[in-house]
Amino acid sequence: MIYALGHFLKNALLPPVGLGWLLVIAIWQFKRRPRFARALVGIALVSGFCLATPLMSEAMLRQVTLRGDPSAYSSAQAIVILGAESSYVWDAGQQSVLEANPGRFTMLRLHFGARLAKNTGLPILVSGGKSALAAPSLAEIMRQAMQDDFGVSVRWMEDRSGSTAENAALSAGILLPQKVRRIILVTSGFHMRRAAALFMQAGFIVLPAPVPPIGPRPGFEWKELLPDSQSLLTSYYAFHEFGGLVYDALARPVATP
């Protein structure tokens, strides 16, 4: 229930939906405070346009992205792959799940992690809990995909987490008792800064392995000033991670002397 409420509030407040609330307030205030209302409309339109340009969205993305250093991967003890989402095939009555598959970002992470495993020979932990559906956990879906689609076995499964903080804490409960501390962390590039920080707080030495394709492009082209739907989505991911970083900082226990 709490997770569902948080998910709803996140999507209701973050751009682009969040900008719509400025328009709602502008309509509400238009008769009483017309200048204020017009200012809100202008802010919403200009902000929406800027967030939909590659120039702005990629500048924001750079703030939450960490680069990997493949030369350091040889010192790792394990690979940890974080799940993102899953997709389901339902029966005709929409009552039960016939088939569960990794979603887009999860599959990209698995592909990248499988390649790393084949190159390094390191064991893999997959992390992702159950959804509200009567379906396998995300970790189980990932394990099956790694075996069937990439021919790579998974040694450990963390199948109870519902957030990145829980990914880190529960993975630590599995790996640290086995003296596995230095890990290659595989997740999407836009998610890496927050995920790496949480795994380091959990006691790991983290070697980031950020997964493309969403990431800042080098150089500048004039078309980066033109808005497009993909850039607006990229801005949403960047805002999501900014919000997560703030939440994690506020939720972190305060050390006492």
Side-chain angles (χ1 to χ4, degrees):
M1 179 64 182
I2 295 176
Y3 176 81
L5 178 61
H7 185 74
F8 170 78
L9 290 174
K10 174 187 69 177
N11 288 308
L13 296 176
L14 290 180
V17 177
L19 297 177
W21 293 112
L22 296 181
L23 298 178
V24 171
I25 295 171
I27 294 171
W28 174 45
Q29 293 289 311
F30 191 77
K31 288 186 177 180
R32 290 193 297 175
R33 304 170 67 185
R35 292 180 63 182
F36 174 67
R38 285 194 291 269
L40 287 182
V41 171
I43 291 171
L45 294 177
V46 171
S47 298
F49 181 90
C50 291
L51 292 175
T53 62
L55 183 66
M56 175 64 75
S57 64
E58 291 179 12
M60 293 172 58
L61 202 63
R62 289 187 185 94
Q63 306 308 310
V64 295
T65 302
L66 284 181
R67 294 183 179 275
D69 180 11
S71 65
Y73 293 165
S74 60
S75 65
Q77 297 169 279
I79 298 169
V80 175
I81 307 174
L82 304 186
E85 82 287 59
S86 50
S87 62
Y88 302 99
V89 178
W90 295 82
D91 64 5
Q94 299 288 302
Q95 298 298 315
S96 61
V97 175
L98 299 178
E99 184 179 337
N101 299 293
R104 174 195 175 197
F105 287 121
T106 302
M107 184 58 82
L108 288 169
R109 297 174 190 183
L110 291 175
H111 177 258
F112 199 74
R115 185 189 306 165
L116 281 173
K118 291 178 178 179
N119 289 340
T120 63
L122 292 172
I124 293 175
L125 179 145
V126 292
S127 178
K130 275 198 171 190
S131 69
L133 302 172
S137 68
L138 182 53
E140 173 59 30
I141 295 170
M142 295 166 72
R143 184 200 66 78
Q144 196 67 46
M146 286 293 276
Q147 177 179 303
D148 296 346
D149 299 332
F150 302 111
V152 176
S153 62
V154 169
R155 181 174 298 183
W156 306 282
M157 285 199 311
E158 183 288 294
D159 60 1
R160 295 184 292 128
S161 57
S163 66
T164 307
E166 291 181 357
N167 287 145
L170 295 173
S171 296
I174 295 171
L175 296 180
L176 294 183
Q178 301 186 48
K179 303 189 183 305
V180 176
R181 186 163 177 249
R182 194 175 186 90
I183 61 168
I184 300 175
L185 184 62
V186 178
T187 189
S188 301
F190 62 84
H191 182 229
M192 181 57 76
R193 185 177 296 276
R194 181 161 64 97
L198 289 168
F199 271 77
M200 285 189 285
Q201 289 173 29
F204 290 103
I205 298 171
V206 176
L207 306 174
V211 179
I214 293 183
R217 293 173 292 187
F220 171 79
E221 298 180 13
W222 67 268
K223 63 182 179 181
E224 292 185 27
L225 300 173
L226 300 177
D228 60 68
S229 58
Q230 180 59 54
S231 294
L232 189 59
L233 182 61
T234 299
S235 293
Y236 167 82
Y237 291 132
F239 267 109
H240 179 277
E241 293 307 311
F242 282 132
L245 287 167
V246 171
Y247 175 83
D248 292 338
L250 294 175
R252 189 180 308 157
V254 178
T256 56

